Amino acid sequence: MIPVRATGLLHTFAEAGVLAAADVHVALRLARLGGEADETVLLAAALAVRGVRTGSVCVELATVADTVAPADDLDGALDGDPADGELDGVGTAVEVTELPWPADWSAVGRSPVVAVGVDAAWRPLRWVDGLLYLDRYWQQEQLVRHELDARAAQPPPAVDLAPLGTLFAEPGSDRQRLAAAVAAGRWVSVITGGPGTGKTHTVARLLKLLVDQPGPPPRIALAAPTGKAAARLQESVRAQAAAIGLPVDLTASTLHRLLGWRPDSRSRFRHDAADRLPFDVVVVDESSMVPLTLMARLLEAVRPSARLVLVGDPDQLTPVEAGAVLSDLVHRPPAAVPPVPGLLDSNVDDLDDDERRQLANGVVRLRDSHRFGAGIGALAEAIRTGDADETVRLLAAGGALGRGEDTDELEAVVRSSGAEMFAAAADGDRVTALGLLGGHRLLCAHRQGPFGVAAWNEQLSRWTRPAGGPASGGWYPGQPLLITANDYDNQLFNGDTGVVVVGEDGLAAAFARGPSTEAIPLSRLSSVTTAHALTVHRSQGSQYEAVTVLLPPPSSPLLTRELLYTAVTRAVHRVRVVGSEESVRAAVGRQVVRASGLRRPVGAGPG
Ligand SMILES: Nc1ncnc2c1ncn2[C@@H]1O[C@H](COP(=O)(O)OP(=O)(O)OP(=O)(O)O)[C@@H](O)[C@H]1O
């Protein structure tokens, strides 16, 4: 849909599918309010709006022509309103590089709607070092930068690291020990690593170290961006607690709940710079899912004298909202502040140059997976490092990995796990049925279309639905469920999964509640869908025994390295890719590009 009032460059770029209606509307409104009519400036403004819509906090005007792809729009739409047809508004007739891109953007620097450089007074847009921001995102990025730099400049917290030797005594724990030492010895630290590399193991021992220091025990907050991830963090920390003598009553909450969700605002919270969080240690898991706005709110709410430990895997898919802060923090230029003295003596001699630089910013990457087999670990590493040949070779080698273009194996797996699930659900055995949810999952890049979740959920339902059709209202025993919006009445959260079971009064939805289960009448659920298949975005933070990844054709812009990495690392024992070798190569070769100023030295000059 091309906005009616768009003319000139805006019209051309909207027609080509680069700009959506919303981008054009915001640019036109800014221009009207600021008295701007220059077409180049209008296009730049619309591209900045587009940037935010597709996950970037800013747009680099000099390179935008090479990095923009019309169908990028699909990415932002992944888990949005299902009414967003995936190809809505996307024209493909015109090659993006053939569009009339301005060769000279200097009009932007003279515009009354653009503040140029770091110190210029407020205007709706800001141009710094060639990056054009909507001012709100510039302010948030500056806040994150200032909060991080101010904390790095404070004298480090005093801590006795000696107990780390006992806490990390197992051979091969050197990096974990280093990560705990860095997190204990700095106000802000980042512990990264793929699934099963011991991030939670390290956090639990870090907490034990801090709890045992002289003085009153620290007040600890554990949080994650989603309810599901918070529940998993709490479960894993508690599972470790008894063995190392940590208090077993530690609870984890969502970041929104930690910060104090306010019904009157989506982006403001009860706790902020004026009313900081009352904690001495704040651990945030699955930080790769935290967008810039939420990270800014978190940093201003955490007391400067509290340790903030960000935990996550920066190689996973970036948040749907703007800003991939975890990945930016890992790639930030090293701080002038040296790492805490003595930390490098801890026998970690295999850090490469990049890792040593990152250490100066409090970043430690854990490498060895303690969870899944060597096959999946090697595959994840090949994808992460962009080695397409090795990825293809590993997928062809058999064993725990496989690739093919037919869906015969998928059908066999789904039919047999569906039968097991049906038997448990028909028996009203909630525990077994919920346990089986962790068995096999189909993961798709798209929501709609022939490679999308919607169509494949239908197909998998046909394979698993008991003969004779659905028992009642479309529901059937063993049907896996996904909650798609927070439901405070039922204490269910976006992303929670459950299963339809036979209950005392007919069919009900069973959900895990910590170690126990609860059955909720299906009529009480409003935002719920079938979950045989999930988008890879949705699967973040979950693990399954076996995963089938359905890849779209190589031309799909959703096919990225981050997508494939996230998908295969959801599996513990077995990964099967359904798709062509070309699709695998296209995915490994294409990285998500998210523009951000956090990866550069602080804005020194104007556009
Ligand atoms: N040094 C170690 N020695 C022995 N077992 C370990 C070690 N580190 C981790 N583990 C075990 O490996 C498993 C995975 O660890 P953990 O859950 O901490 O990983 P993670 O990185 O937090 O995973 P995820 O990203 O999936 O949350 C756990 O069972 C943990 O007890």
Side-chain angles (χ1 to χ4, degrees), residues 170 173 176 194-201 232 240 370-371:
E170 304 94 342
S173 303
Q176 296 178 340
T197 49
K199 298 183 294 296
T200 319
H201 177 94
R232 228 179 129 234
Q240 314 246 359
H370 294 263
R371 191 174 300 133

Side-chain angles (χ1 to χ4, degrees), residues 294-557:
L294 191 54
M295 189 62 87
R297 297 285 101 89
L298 173 70
L299 274 166
E300 64 179 355
V302 171
R303 290 190 292 127
S305 57
R307 288 178 179 86
L308 175 62
V309 185
L310 300 172
V311 182
D313 184 353
D315 296 306
Q316 287 197 28
L317 279 170
T318 47
V320 174
E321 286 173 65
V325 191
L326 184 72
S327 170
D328 289 347
L329 295 189
V330 169
H331 295 106
R332 261 195 111 192
V337 193
V340 177
L343 286 187
L344 279 176
D345 302 343
S346 57
N347 250 339
V348 183
D349 45 21
D350 64 346
L351 295 176
D352 64 27
D353 289 348
D354 260 359
E355 289 173 329
R356 278 174 197 278
R357 270 194 295 277
Q358 290 167 1
L359 197 57
N361 283 334
V363 179
V364 180
R365 184 167 78 88
L366 307 182
R367 276 194 324 196
D368 304 323
S369 177
H370 294 263
R371 191 174 300 133
F372 44 45
I376 298 178
L379 178 65
E381 191 59 12
I383 298 168
R384 194 184 76 81
T385 53
D387 189 341
D389 290 342
E390 180 67 357
T391 304
V392 168
R393 193 189 68 73
L394 286 166
L395 283 171
L401 311 176
R403 186 192 64 76
E405 297 191 40
D406 63 66
T407 52
D408 297 350
E409 186 179 324
L410 173 66
E411 180 174 351
V413 169
V414 167
R415 282 190 188 277
S416 100
S417 57
E420 257 187 282
M421 178 75 101
F422 176 77
D427 239 14
D429 181 351
R430 293 184 217 157
V431 174
T432 304
L434 286 167
L436 288 169
L437 278 180
H440 171 266
R441 193 66 34 146
L442 174 65
L443 303 180
C444 305
H446 292 256
R447 284 188 305 118
Q448 304 292 338
F451 301 93
V453 162
W456 280 92
N457 259 326
E458 272 302 308
Q459 179 60 59
L460 268 58
S461 289
R462 278 195 289 277
W463 286 339
T464 53
R465 200 179 277 150
S472 92
W475 305 110
Y476 60 90
Q479 184 175 359
L481 301 174
L482 172 75
I483 298 296
T484 55
N486 289 344
D487 171 355
Y488 295 97
D489 291 342
N490 288 310
Q491 286 293 299
L492 290 172
F493 298 95
N494 193 350
D496 282 353
T497 47
V499 56
V500 178
V501 295
V502 174
E504 283 167 16
D505 305 312
L507 292 183
F511 294 93
R513 293 275 188 243
S516 63
T517 64
E518 183 180 1
I520 298 176
L522 286 158
S523 57
R524 273 183 36 205
L525 299 179
S526 47
S527 304
V528 66
T529 177
T530 306
H532 286 295
L534 295 178
T535 60
V536 180
H537 259 110
R538 275 281 185 200
S539 73
Q540 263 178 300
S542 299
Q543 293 239 303
Y544 307 95
E545 292 294 310
V547 158
T548 302
V549 188
L550 182 74
L551 294 184
S555 58
S556 164

